[in-house]
């Protein structure tokens, strides 16, 4: 297992799902396959609990579901892109860029630092454009690692 926040196998440039829960499950499957999540159902319950507290959609077509969970073994960021868009509760419509942040339950505030760093980058048109135009998961993983540092 890599200690990097995001790796190639955690990137899906063509999320097939239009449903929020299905999209989160699809990205969570990648975290399980990368041995970063040990119990997908527990993890999904923790993500959903967080979603119920407050929608994680941001203006500009972005969704950032996130949680701390005992099922998470290492701080991780999975990325999915949707051509059709997925409703994450933002006032301005569905999200095309989805970032799933997974943090260990007993971890420090690193995931909040990742969230803050990511939110700052997403204010930049160039960052979003690069992610929307990319066609290689390895390039996306490398770009996000370079840009988003806790």
């Amino acid at each position: 297992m890599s200690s990097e926040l995001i790796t190639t196998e955690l990137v899906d440039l063509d999320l097939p799902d239009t449903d929020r829960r299905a999209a989160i499950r699809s990205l969570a499957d990648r975290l399980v396959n990368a041995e970063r999540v040990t119990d997908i159902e527990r993890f999904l319950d923790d993500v959903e609990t967080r979603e119920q507290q407050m929608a994680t959609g941001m203006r500009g077509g972005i969704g950032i579901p996130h949680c701390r969970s005992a099922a998470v073994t290492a701080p991780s960021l999975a990325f999915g892109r949707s051509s059709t868009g997925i409703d994450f509760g933002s006032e301005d419509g569905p999200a095309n860029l989805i970032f799933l942040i997974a943090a260990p339950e007993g971890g420090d505030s690193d995931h909040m630092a990742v969230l803050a760093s990511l939110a700052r980058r997403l204010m930049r048109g160039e960052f979003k454009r690069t992610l929307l135009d990319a066609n290689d998961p390895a390039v996306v993983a490398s770009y996000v690692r370079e840009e988003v540092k806790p």
Side-chain angles (χ1 to χ4, degrees):
M1 181 178 73
S2 171
S3 63
E4 299 281 1
L5 184 66
I6 183 171
T7 58
T8 304
E9 68 262 23
L10 299 180
V11 174
D12 185 346
L13 296 180
D14 189 22
L15 268 177
D17 306 293
T18 56
D19 173 73
R20 176 178 58 83
R21 285 187 180 92
I24 290 172
R25 178 176 286 275
S26 178
L27 291 174
D29 281 339
R30 290 176 175 269
L31 293 170
V32 170
N33 292 338
E35 300 180 350
R36 292 166 178 256
V37 167
T38 57
D39 180 341
I40 193 166
E41 296 307 327
R42 182 173 187 172
F43 176 70
L44 291 172
D45 284 348
D46 291 339
V47 172
E48 187 59 29
T49 297
R50 175 61 190 81
E51 286 285 318
Q52 294 304 322
Q53 292 170 3
M54 180 187 291
T56 56
M58 290 177 53
R59 294 187 71 75
I62 296 152
I64 310 182
H66 58 280
C67 75
R68 286 181 193 229
S69 175
V72 176
T73 60
S76 303
L77 177 63
F79 169 73
R81 187 173 66 198
S82 168
S83 57
T84 55
I86 300 165
D87 183 3
F88 274 86
S90 179
E91 296 171 3
D92 70 338
N96 298 103
L97 302 176
I98 295 92
F99 298 88
L100 176 59
I101 301 175
E105 188 173 59
D108 52 24
S109 59
D110 275 0
H111 87 286
M112 294 309 290
V114 168
L115 188 59
S117 178
L118 184 58
R120 282 193 301 274
R121 294 305 177 280
L122 287 165
M123 302 305 279
R124 290 187 11 231
E126 175 195 348
F127 182 76
K128 290 196 317 192
R129 176 60 38 214
T130 298
L131 295 176
L132 287 167
D133 292 345
N135 55 21
D136 181 346
V139 170
V140 170
S142 175
Y143 180 69
V144 172
R145 271 196 309 271
E146 193 60 37
E147 291 287 323
V148 179
K149 297 179 180 164

